[in-house]
């Protein structure tokens, strides 16, 4: 008998974006290693920061809010990997020994947040929406940053994205309001909500009610 809708086995269909997502989960497979190596060579020949005609990872960009419509811009940027060396002349710190470290210092924010900051300063008339990793080698990490034009009518008339037009979202990336910025603020831990300062105050304030 012909299978009906009730007794037919459940089929899970995968679209094109889902295939891309699964492919990027296996970065060590031969195909992805070859593609990433060739792309990395190409990225090294390009300027440090430049506008990309389209996202390298369309599935990831769409999950982070990108739409292929007017008003959305993709910028590609590379950031040098490694720790933050203290910028002292000849590594000489004129102070107490506790502060004399030069090479072991770690920057508080991650490199993706640094990439967002640099693109946000270059494109000061746009708003940083989000960003994602695309490649890396021994020296650099490469990111793509999604920007939105708050003055474009296609953005201002779209109820799903026009929240970013509000002036309180100017330079979100400089105030730790993007996804990468929130990561370094420790907001994934409920102990530090709504902010680290408010969480510290709540945990260190003795509150004795009058009628208890």
């Amino acid at each position: 008998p012909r299978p009906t809708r009730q007794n037919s086995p459940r089929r899970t269909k995968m679209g094109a974006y889902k295939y891309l997502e699964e492919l990027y989960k296996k970065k060590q497979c031969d195909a992805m290693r070859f593609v990433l190596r060739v792309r990395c060579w190409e990225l090294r020949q390009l300027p440090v920061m430049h506008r990309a005609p389209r996202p390298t990872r369309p599935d990831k960009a769409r999950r982070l809010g990108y739409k292929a419509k007017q008003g959305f811009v993709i910028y590609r940027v590379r950031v040098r990997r490694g720790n933050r060396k203290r910028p002292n002349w000849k590594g000489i710190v004129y102070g107490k020994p506790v502060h004399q470290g030069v090479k072991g210092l770690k920057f508080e924010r991650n490199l993706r947040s640094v990439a967002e900051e640099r693109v946000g300063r270059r494109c000061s008339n746009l708003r940083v929406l989000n960003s994602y990793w695309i490649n890396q080698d021994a020296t650099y990490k490469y990111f793509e940053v999604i920007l939105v034009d708050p003055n474009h009518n296609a953005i201002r008339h779209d109820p799903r994205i026009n929240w970013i037009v509000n002036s309180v979202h100017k330079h979100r990336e400089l105030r730790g309001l993007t996804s990468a910025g929130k990561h370094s603020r420790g907001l994934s831990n409920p102990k530090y909500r709504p902010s680290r300062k408010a969480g510290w105050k709540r945990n260190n304030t003795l509150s004795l009610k009058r009628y208890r």
Side-chain angles (χ1 to χ4, degrees):
R2 190 176 178 182
T4 60
R5 195 182 179 92
Q6 286 78 16
N7 60 14
S8 61
R10 183 180 177 84
R11 295 179 181 177
T12 56
K13 292 184 178 180
M14 285 174 52
Y17 291 130
K18 187 65 178 174
Y19 273 106
L20 288 173
E21 180 185 349
E22 293 299 320
L23 199 60
Y24 261 90
K25 289 180 181 177
K26 309 289 185 190
K27 296 183 180 65
Q28 289 294 319
C29 70
D30 291 344
M32 285 303 298
R33 287 178 64 183
F34 175 75
V35 169
L36 290 174
R37 191 168 72 243
V38 172
R39 279 186 183 157
C40 200
W41 174 87
E42 183 185 5
L43 293 173
R44 276 198 296 269
Q45 319 307 317
L46 296 171
V48 175
M49 189 186 307
H50 60 277
R51 182 175 175 178
R54 63 185 63 84
T56 305
R57 301 174 60 185
D59 59 316
K60 183 69 170 177
R62 284 179 60 84
R63 272 182 282 149
L64 296 178
Y66 172 79
K67 299 287 184 185
K69 58 185 275 186
Q70 290 180 326
F72 283 87
V73 182
I74 296 285
Y75 259 77
R76 210 176 279 140
V77 59
R78 71 169 180 246
V79 182
R80 188 175 286 270
R81 298 174 64 179
N83 302 334
R84 182 189 180 277
K85 184 182 174 187
R86 194 190 296 276
N88 283 19
W89 184 73
K90 289 191 174 179
I92 301 170
V93 181
Y94 295 98
K96 293 182 170 61
V98 69
H99 298 303
Q100 284 183 349
V102 173
K103 290 189 175 179
L105 305 177
K106 309 293 188 293
F107 190 50
E108 282 192 353
R109 291 184 290 126
N110 53 35
L111 295 181
R112 188 158 68 92
S113 177
V114 174
E116 290 179 353
E117 175 187 352
R118 292 180 183 175
V119 174
R121 291 186 189 277
R122 168 78 66 87
C123 309
S124 57
N125 61 326
L126 304 177
R127 305 275 161 84
V128 174
L129 181 62
N130 221 321
S131 62
Y132 52 93
W133 176 96
I134 54 169
N135 216 323
Q136 70 184 47
D137 56 17
T139 310
Y140 299 103
K141 280 195 176 185
Y142 302 88
F143 301 96
E144 282 185 357
V145 183
I146 306 170
L147 299 124
V148 180
D149 185 0
N151 299 309
H152 201 291
N153 284 333
I155 301 298
R156 300 177 79 91
H157 296 163
D158 188 348
R160 288 169 297 187
I161 194 63
N162 63 5
W163 55 268
I164 207 166
V165 173
N166 199 328
S167 60
V168 298
H169 296 294
K170 288 180 179 178
H171 289 291
R172 307 169 63 235
E173 71 285 352
L174 298 179
R175 295 177 287 133
L177 301 181
T178 58
S179 175
K182 285 180 180 178
H183 185 77
S184 61
R185 290 167 60 198
L187 296 183
S188 56
N189 189 339
K191 186 170 70 173
Y192 295 129
R193 286 286 185 173
S195 66
R196 291 188 75 99
K197 186 176 181 181
W200 179 90
K201 188 176 181 182
R202 183 177 64 247
N203 295 332
N204 290 273
T205 302
L206 182 64
S207 178
L208 299 175
K209 304 295 183 183
R210 186 177 175 188
Y211 299 105
R212 65 184 190 273

